[in-house]
């Protein structure tokens, strides 16, 4: 849902593309936007990201594979 919120904002602002910067969980959201809407992403900057949510002790129940599907 958060990735689609980013796309909605870009459309609402009438921005054809944007550079996305994601930090920590935001890096997963930025990647999701770039996977689902590559035409909307001019650059992708990831800081402090992680490959899976299972590495995050606060969120063991979240499955990255399901999120990226």
């Amino acid at each position: 849902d958060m990735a689609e919120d980013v796309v909605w904002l870009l459309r609402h602002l009438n921005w054809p593309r944007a550079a996305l910067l994601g930090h920590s969980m935001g890096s997963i959201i930025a990647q999701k936007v770039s996977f689902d809407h590559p035409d909307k992403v001019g650059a992708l900057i990831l800081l402090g990201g992680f490959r899976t949510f299972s590495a995050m002790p606060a969120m063991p129940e979240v499955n990255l594979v399901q999120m990226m599907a």
Side-chain angles (χ1 to χ4, degrees):
D1 291 340
M2 291 180 202
E4 289 304 316
D5 289 344
V6 172
V7 174
W8 177 89
L9 180 63
L10 292 174
R11 288 183 180 143
H12 181 74
L13 294 173
N14 200 29
W15 291 0
R17 293 168 61 105
L20 298 183
L21 182 142
H23 174 261
S24 192
M25 184 177 164
S27 70
I28 300 296
I29 296 165
Q31 288 179 67
K32 178 79 170 139
V33 173
S34 72
F35 292 148
D36 293 348
H37 304 277
D39 58 309
K40 295 287 184 190
V41 180
L44 183 62
I45 305 149
L46 306 175
L47 301 170
F50 45 93
R51 192 171 59 85
T52 67
F53 280 110
S54 62
M56 301 296 294
M59 301 197 301
E61 71 281 357
V62 179
N63 183 335
L64 176 61
V65 174
Q66 289 177 341
M67 183 179 179
M68 300 307 269

